[in-house]
Amino acid sequence: MSVTYDRTHAAVPGAAGDAQEPGTAEVAGDADIAPVAALIADGARAAMLTALLDGRALAAGELARIAGVSAPTASSHLARLLDGGLVTVVKQGRHRYYRLAGPDVARTLEVLARISGRVAVRSLRQSRQARLLRDARSCYDHLAGRVGVELYDALVREGRLVEADGGCLLTADGADALAELDVDVEQVRRARRRFAPDCLDWLERRPHLGGALGAAVLDRLLAREWLVRGTVPRALRLTGPGREGLERTFGCKDLT
């Protein structure tokens, strides 16, 4: 079996500094995570960040509605998130649209979701939203939920992805299958991010495909309208042609 290797780069620890006295609070090279943690810890800001997990840019007014706060309060929260480097802003005329600062922020939020409790479902509307998010949703810019997990499982089962420590290896058969979806694998490899890490789905508790390859796959699935976005933030709907296409192209068998 021919294997194309994932070109990921491991972080190289910095050289140790001078020895510290026992009991010293600060250690050279340690990251100061407290300010970032404090930004995420506020309920309204957490709701805004979660809404931005689908990778799209949203206006301040829409984020205010999602967080259940007034427009001035939302602006204050967004200014703090912007200063903290968790979001970026795009200006179009008089309008300002906010999005997550990048995949590292999205990955951090997903990890926090995995170790956090679930929000209690108290209405039919919340139950419907929960079902839609469990079926298929965007995890920043790649596919998560039951559909994303089944696609990952099918790629591994059919020998198109090989699971490895720290990322997945794409086989020649896998590259051919993705070419049928018009994914340019070589172009994806040139992206300045990890190629094909697995991403543990916080709802399914099983992996789906992340990284640059996962983003390229979701982009093509949306372009072909095998998946379409709905009115629920982050939720995606698998279409009839999408169900048939995923089964025919990748061997996904559990999408009913």
Side-chain angles (χ1 to χ4, degrees):
M1 175 176 60
S2 174
V3 174
T4 304
Y5 286 91
D6 173 9
R7 298 173 187 172
T8 57
H9 299 281
V12 179
D18 293 336
Q20 300 289 318
E21 291 295 327
T24 300
E26 183 178 340
V27 180
D30 269 9
D32 185 7
I33 66 173
V36 174
L39 285 174
I40 299 173
D42 179 85
R45 290 195 292 271
M48 292 177 179
L49 291 169
T50 301
L52 294 173
L53 263 174
D54 71 353
R56 292 181 293 177
L58 297 177
E62 188 169 2
L63 290 168
R65 179 184 59 80
I66 290 169
V69 297
S70 67
T73 299
S75 294
S76 175
H77 283 311
L78 288 167
R80 292 190 64 181
L81 291 172
L82 190 62
D83 289 343
L86 296 184
V87 301
T88 59
V89 64
V90 178
K91 297 179 182 178
Q92 291 187 354
R94 295 182 294 108
H95 302 286
R96 293 161 63 90
Y97 297 90
Y98 295 85
R99 67 184 345 139
L100 293 184
D104 283 346
V105 178
R107 191 158 49 246
T108 298
L109 295 173
E110 284 285 326
V111 170
L112 287 173
R114 290 203 296 269
I115 62 175
S116 302
R118 304 284 179 85
V119 176
V121 175
R122 294 190 172 91
S123 68
L124 286 175
R125 178 172 173 271
Q126 288 178 324
S127 177
R128 175 179 172 273
Q129 290 179 343
R131 177 179 57 79
L132 291 172
L133 290 172
R134 181 177 290 279
D135 282 346
R137 70 185 185 281
S138 53
C139 175
Y140 187 55
D141 57 0
H142 50 270
L143 174 61
R146 187 173 60 86
V147 177
V149 166
E150 170 56 24
L151 175 57
Y152 179 91
D153 285 350
L155 289 168
V156 173
R157 184 173 61 244
E158 299 294 323
R160 289 162 174 163
L161 274 184
V162 177
E163 294 178 304
D165 238 2
C168 297
L169 311 179
L170 181 67
T171 67
D173 285 345
D176 290 343
L178 291 174
E180 292 184 35
L181 196 62
D182 297 325
V183 173
D184 186 338
V185 172
E186 290 310 311
Q187 181 178 353
V188 173
R189 287 191 180 283
R190 292 193 289 271
R192 298 182 63 182
R193 61 189 291 190
R194 294 181 64 191
F195 175 64
D198 57 2
C199 181
L200 184 64
D201 195 290
W202 68 272
L203 282 174
E204 293 295 307
R205 304 293 175 173
R206 292 156 57 201
H208 57 254
L209 182 63
L213 188 60
V217 169
L218 178 57
D219 180 69
R220 296 311 307 157
L221 293 175
L222 289 169
R224 289 197 177 191
E225 296 188 343
W226 288 8
L227 289 167
V228 294
R229 297 188 186 275
T231 56
V232 176
R234 301 179 62 199
L236 302 170
R237 180 174 61 84
L238 180 65
T239 65
R243 184 176 290 104
E244 295 170 5
L246 287 174
E247 182 174 359
R248 181 182 65 253
T249 308
F250 300 109
C252 298
K253 300 174 182 177
D254 190 24
L255 295 177
T256 55

